[in-house]
Amino acid sequence: MTTPHVGHAERTSGPPTSTAPHVQRQTTSGRLLAAHPWIAHALLAAVVLLLGTSTAVLASETVRGATALGLFAPGAPVEDLVVRTWTAGSVLGALVLVARRWRPLTVTAVLTVLAVLSLRVAGVLGVLGFCLAWALRAVAARHSTRTAWITGASVLVVVTVAVWWWQDIGLAEIVAWNGAHTLIPVDGTPVQQLTEPGFSAGRRSLTVVLLLTLLVLGGVTGAGVRARRLHLHDLALRYEAMARERDTSAALARSAERARIAREMHDIVAHSVSVMVALSDGAASALDRAPEASRRALAELSTTGREALEDMHSVLGSLRPADADADADAVVERGGAALPTAPTETDLRAVVERFRAAGLPLTTSGLETPLPSDTALRLAVVRIVTEGLTNVLRHAPGTPSAGVALRRTDTVVEVEILDAGGTRAGSGSGTRRGLIGMRERAALLGGQVQAGPGDAGGWRVRVVLPAGRSNEGDRA
């Protein structure tokens, strides 16, 4: 079955850096209010005014009922004062609440003062208790829990004292006295003769309980808003950290891939070309006196060139991601196997013979020792030996002797490359890239490389790689 092709950009692109609006799941109305916050202010102001207007009518009816009961003197301007104060409190509360998101503490203080003034002037709290609940909600949403608790407690104490001293018309009075004027006798004589309502701790306690309930609801909902905002902020930070980690990982992966490609290209170019140059020089010098040896050298030169070209094509294939994706899809369709992305030659004796054909006076020992079946370890041994002999060929030309020794124990594989030093000047000063590559290959397998002057002169490279105890599947 053919798998759909996915573009390289789609495979490597990650999620964009997220912020709180990205991680917050909002409804259509939520997105509208977030984009136009003035709508929320206008809606709250309309609710406060509507609530104030409707409850002002109830307050007016309550004053009439209280007058009919003799709690207010007939003809006293109580009804007009209550209605005006109640309505003014509603309008001022709606206007002040507009600034609650920017100055929640200031708005709460101003509303508390308005509540005290309303109680002092007309003995009513009106809808200012509702406004105080919204203000405390803003405080809890913008400030710490400790600040919200202190603010709410202060508001409750101040307004409770004012209610206890001055309130005449509250929730209990509205429930008990609304419509009581219909109970007065036909002649209009009041049921009682009082100039003002008497003090009642029960009636005023009901107002305090209502105020406490509103403040608690405001504080709790505000704390919930703050907790959600902090949670979204934390999620945004996590997404940003994940994005940074993703970018860092991608950069490290690119760097590692570039290093791998550079190492492979160094192996191919430096090793193969050095051998090819030596082979061509040997073939040219022996063309007249040893034609058969020249033909063998030229054949080895051709073989080395073809292998280097195949290895280079394999490595360069990883530099074309889109083509590589297409090739991989084509391989899946054919049901075949993809070409390797790195050279995988592991025949150590063939490598040694190639360098011997290039003119190195090589002596070997232990090459018949079976290596572990781990392809990575076998490839590392071949690459390290190739690198070491290439360095001998380039930097110690004319050396009277060079040797490769392979030893294996139950736990390690040890390779030693030693030369006696060159008799002619080497080609180039070297970039040390080959030595770095050997150490990286050994480190990936948990091994180590020692390189430096030999005891009797020349240069010595010793490599120790860990190997399993089992010989099962070992090959020569």
Side-chain angles (χ1 to χ4, degrees):
M1 182 176 63
T2 303
T3 56
H5 179 70
V6 181
H8 177 66
E10 294 177 355
R11 295 188 182 186
T12 57
S13 61
T17 302
S18 300
T19 56
H22 292 124
V23 299
Q24 184 179 13
R25 294 184 177 181
Q26 293 181 330
T27 60
T28 302
S29 59
R31 289 191 295 269
L32 178 64
L33 294 178
H36 305 285
W38 61 268
I39 296 179
H41 300 317
L43 288 176
L44 180 59
V47 169
V48 171
L49 292 176
L50 179 61
L51 183 62
T53 302
S54 59
T55 52
V57 173
L58 293 177
S60 175
E61 293 294 324
T62 300
V63 173
R64 292 183 183 180
T67 304
L69 294 174
L71 301 177
F72 293 113
V78 177
E79 180 182 355
D80 185 60
L81 180 61
V82 167
V83 172
R84 288 185 179 182
T85 304
W86 198 294
T87 304
S90 303
V91 175
L92 292 176
L95 293 176
V96 172
L97 279 177
V98 173
R100 71 190 184 282
R101 291 189 177 180
W102 299 278
R103 302 287 182 182
L105 291 174
T106 303
V107 168
T108 304
V110 171
L111 288 174
T112 303
V113 172
L114 290 177
V116 173
L117 290 176
S118 178
L119 288 165
R120 179 66 181 87
V121 171
V124 293
L125 181 61
V127 296
L128 290 173
F130 177 77
C131 297
L132 282 169
W134 275 94
L136 187 60
R137 181 181 187 273
V139 171
R142 297 289 174 178
H143 295 277
S144 65
T145 304
R146 181 172 179 269
T147 302
W149 274 102
I150 294 175
T151 303
S154 300
V155 170
L156 180 64
V157 170
V158 172
V159 177
T160 297
V161 171
V163 166
W164 218 257
W165 278 95
W166 296 311
Q167 178 177 278
D168 290 331
I169 303 296
L171 178 62
E173 288 78 13
I174 291 176
V175 172
W177 300 344
N178 183 34
H181 60 280
T182 60
L183 302 176
I184 61 174
V186 180
D187 59 0
T189 304
V191 177
Q192 303 182 58
Q193 293 293 335
L194 298 175
T195 58
E196 61 181 9
F199 174 82
S200 173
R203 294 199 306 268
R204 298 184 183 186
S205 296
L206 188 59
T207 300
V208 173
V209 170
L210 177 61
L211 176 63
L212 175 61
T213 302
L214 291 175
L215 292 178
V216 169
L217 287 176
V220 169
T221 55
V225 171
R226 183 172 184 269
R228 178 173 175 77
R229 186 176 67 251
L230 293 177
H231 177 64
L232 293 177
H233 180 67
D234 181 61
L235 286 179
L237 292 179
R238 291 185 183 181
Y239 277 114
E240 291 173 1
M242 291 172 60
R244 287 194 299 268
E245 183 178 358
R246 179 202 64 212
D247 295 340
T248 302
S249 299
L252 291 175
R254 288 192 297 268
S255 177
E257 183 66 10
R258 284 194 293 266
R260 184 191 69 82
I261 293 172
R263 183 171 61 246
E264 298 295 343
M265 292 299 294
H266 171 269
D267 290 347
I268 294 169
V269 174
H271 301 170
S272 301
V273 173
S274 296
V275 173
M276 292 167 67
V277 170
L279 287 171
S280 62
D281 290 343
S285 62
L287 183 62
D288 295 329
R289 55 185 175 82
E292 188 63 29
S294 296
R295 276 193 289 272
R296 286 198 301 271
L298 290 175
E300 191 67 28
L301 174 64
S302 177
T303 301
T304 302
R306 288 191 180 93
E307 291 178 356
L309 187 60
E310 291 178 0
D311 288 348
M312 188 174 295
H313 284 165
S314 179
V315 172
L316 293 179
S318 62
L319 297 177
R320 298 188 297 272
D323 296 343
D325 291 340
D327 293 342
D329 290 340
V331 167
V332 171
E333 292 177 4
R334 293 193 302 268
L339 293 175
T341 59
T344 57
E345 181 187 19
T346 59
D347 190 349
L348 184 58
R349 281 175 290 190
V351 171
V352 171
E353 289 301 323
R354 185 175 303 159
F355 279 94
R356 184 177 283 125
L360 279 180
L362 278 172
T363 59
T364 62
S365 65
L367 295 190
E368 68 282 356
T369 302
L371 291 174
S373 58
D374 184 2
T375 303
L377 187 143
R378 298 167 67 88
L379 180 61
V381 170
V382 170
R383 282 306 195 192
I384 291 172
V385 170
T386 304
E387 175 64 34
L389 294 179
T390 300
N391 289 338
V392 175
L393 197 64
R394 294 180 58 191
H395 303 300
T399 181
S401 64
V404 177
L406 175 65
R407 293 180 289 275
R408 179 181 176 184
T409 67
D410 291 339
T411 58
V412 298
V413 173
E414 182 180 349
V415 181
E416 186 176 60
I417 306 165
L418 181 66
D419 67 82
T423 59
R424 301 190 304 271
S427 58
S429 59
T431 62
R432 301 186 66 84
R433 185 182 295 274
L435 183 58
I436 294 174
M438 284 193 291
R439 286 174 173 162
E440 288 181 350
R441 290 183 187 277
L444 287 175
L445 297 174
Q448 57 181 352
V449 175
Q450 298 173 353
D455 296 335
W459 194 261
R460 175 176 176 268
V461 176
R462 180 174 177 269
V463 182
V464 178
L465 301 174
R469 292 181 176 272
S470 173
N471 292 331
E472 181 181 354
D474 291 356
R475 297 182 298 172

